[in-house]
Amino acid sequence: MFIDRTRIYVEAGDGGDGIVSFRRERFMPKGGPDGGNGGKGGDIIICGRKNVNTLYHFKFKRFFKAKKGGNGGSNNKTGANGRDVVIDVPLGTVVKEGGRLLHDFTEEECVVVARGGRGGRGNAAFKSATNRAPRISEKGEEGEKKELSLELKLIADVGLVGLPNAGKSTFLSVISRARPNIAPYPFTTLSPYLGYVRYKEDDFIVADIPGIIEGASKGKGLGLEFLRHVERTTFLLLIIDASDGFEEIKKTYDILITEMKNYSEGLLQKRRCVVLNKMDLVEEKDIGDRVKKEVQCDVFSISALKKWGIERVLEWIYNQRR
Ligand SMILES: Nc1nc2c(ncn2[C@@H]2O[C@H](COP(=O)(O)OP(=O)(O)OP(=O)(O)O)[C@@H](O)[C@H]2O)c(=O)[nH]1
Ligand SMILES: [Mg+2]
């Protein structure tokens, strides 16, 4: 199973306690205070790693707790720091706390997500001119505790965007060895599917995502679930079912653009082209020329089912990448 979103619970270590202690030496009945400070609690650290590919391992481990700092000792000894806990995540993971972005792991780096508590001060630290034998010490500070959501955004080069049933999965199965489910009804694809495509001396990853519908950006249908997967792609192919004629194509195009725009302007900044699919069902073979006048991008006419016109789309991707 493909897990691309999960929650984890993290608890950084509490700080160690400071202690009350007095020096005891022979011939020095009234030794000064020598209670040491507690050590710092362990941090929870998340590291982005190239060699980790999924969030699957969190299925079995969701709770992470770092060690408490050691308590202070007599003779001004500071307690040992609690050991940090390091959690590895794949690149492309976004970490949030209650909807607030903590970090977006796009490269290999480590970030502290929950801080261990400071160690409490021992009584030696409270010694002053007026109080030479303080009997107070502090408890260690509590470590931070958090519930975090981890979200993996797929990193693909090309995203397929279209209404349900447009033939996105069919197209992916034709250009790659991916075998996504294909069926004559909407919402066949429920989670994203990646295909690896080799073309000439180039290769790239194409992401097939669930169909989007009008209102999707406001949470309708599968809601925002899908669009976040194409946020990171470089190019978008708008796959449109051409079999219902020119007016429907235009309407569909507007819906796709509106939903993308509502989701984020960034999606509209991506280079894109329109792929008119199911051309085997269309009489007007040069309908693409009319569509071209309406949209501000290249238009290709294909039949994924009959494998017509596929090469020209791959050529477009190939050229965009030069
Ligand atoms: N006639 C014809 N049918 C096609 C073509 N491409 C896809 N289909 C059919 O259209 C239906 C939907 O295809 P899918 O590839 O599952 O469509 P999808 O866009 O992935 O759909 P969702 O996953 O539901 O969003 C299937 O019955 C396909 O066989 C085509 O070029 N011509
Ligand atoms: Mg599909």
Side-chain angles (χ1 to χ4, degrees):
M1 196 184 48
F2 179 84
I3 296 190
D4 62 353
R5 184 168 241 190
T6 189
R7 288 184 166 282
I8 60 171
Y9 305 88
V10 297
E11 285 188 22
D14 297 338
D17 301 332
I19 63 156
V20 173
S21 161
F22 292 93
R23 209 175 300 140
R24 277 175 214 287
E25 279 170 45
R26 260 196 283 180
F27 315 119
M28 253 185 69
K30 283 198 170 165
D34 73 348
N37 302 336
K40 183 179 156 300
D43 292 332
I44 305 282
I45 298 174
I46 297 186
C47 293
R49 305 274 191 213
K50 266 195 203 129
N51 59 352
V52 176
N53 294 311
T54 68
L55 297 176
Y56 191 70
H57 49 297
F58 293 109
K59 195 164 184 248
F60 308 104
K61 184 164 169 60
R62 288 183 199 279
F63 182 68
F64 298 87
K65 188 172 172 26
K67 284 247 157 57
K68 182 178 186 235
N71 294 339
S74 53
N75 210 2
N76 286 315
K77 258 220 312 265
T78 301
N81 290 340
R83 193 197 287 225
D84 298 336
V85 167
V86 176
I87 304 171
D88 291 341
V89 298
L91 297 187
T93 302
V94 175
V95 179
K96 291 184 184 164
E97 181 191 6
R100 192 173 61 92
L101 178 71
L102 285 192
H103 199 76
D104 184 350
F105 287 91
T106 54
E107 50 192 280
E108 292 210 309
E109 59 189 331
C110 294
V111 170
V112 174
V113 292
R115 285 200 178 281
R118 264 179 305 142
R121 287 175 294 174
N123 69 334
F126 291 93
K127 185 177 156 189
S128 66
T130 50
N131 188 354
R132 303 172 136 263
R135 305 206 135 262
I136 47 171
S137 65
E138 285 174 331
K139 282 203 150 309
E141 184 187 49
E142 263 188 33
E144 290 184 312
K145 299 179 176 53
K146 292 181 176 174
E147 180 177 354
L148 302 177
S149 77
L150 307 183
E151 209 177 282
L152 179 59
K153 295 192 188 190
L154 301 177
I155 300 184
D157 304 294
V158 182
L160 305 182
V161 177
L163 299 190
N165 221 34
K168 300 176 295 299
S169 301
T170 309
F171 179 71
L172 185 72
S173 72
V174 171
I175 60 172
S176 73
R177 291 173 146 203
R179 290 292 166 263
N181 286 339
I182 294 170
Y185 45 79
F187 301 115
T188 306
T189 303
L190 295 174
S191 66
Y193 207 101
L194 295 184
Y196 171 76
V197 180
R198 274 207 70 90
Y199 183 70
K200 294 187 175 170
E201 77 285 356
D202 196 12
D203 47 24
F204 42 85
I205 308 271
V206 177
D208 176 24
I209 61 168
I212 72 176
I213 58 171
E214 195 164 10
S217 53
K218 298 196 186 70
K220 251 203 193 162
L222 294 176
L224 302 172
E225 287 296 308
F226 48 81
L227 283 174
R228 72 193 154 89
H229 291 293
V230 293
E231 261 189 295
R232 289 256 167 88
T233 64
T234 320
F235 310 112
L236 297 178
L237 304 189
L238 307 191
I239 312 273
I240 300 179
D241 180 346
S243 65
D244 290 327
F246 182 70
E247 290 305 320
E248 279 303 307
I249 295 174
K250 253 177 42 185
K251 229 169 92 187
T252 302
Y253 178 80
D254 290 339
I255 291 174
L256 296 179
I257 293 292
T258 307
E259 294 309 320
M260 282 163 41
K261 181 174 175 198
N262 288 348
Y263 181 74
S264 102
E265 283 284 339
L267 284 187
L268 285 193
Q269 308 299 322
K270 290 183 195 298
R271 266 183 278 168
R272 61 174 185 259
C273 67
V274 166
V275 176
L276 299 178
N277 188 32
K278 307 199 186 181
M279 282 302 290
D280 54 300
L281 303 176
V282 178
E283 294 286 323
E284 186 189 342
K285 292 298 178 213
D286 51 6
I287 196 167
D289 297 340
R290 276 166 77 195
V291 174
K292 175 108 201 353
K293 295 201 182 95
E294 298 284 327
V295 301
Q296 293 80 38
C297 64
D298 289 323
V299 177
F300 299 96
S301 297
I302 71 162
S303 165
L305 192 68
K306 309 262 189 206
K307 304 191 171 66
W308 298 347
I310 306 294
E311 173 118 5
R312 264 175 287 148
V313 180
L314 296 181
E315 187 72 25
W316 180 84
I317 299 171
Y318 177 82
N319 287 329
Q320 298 296 318
R321 286 163 59 79
R322 295 307 96 183

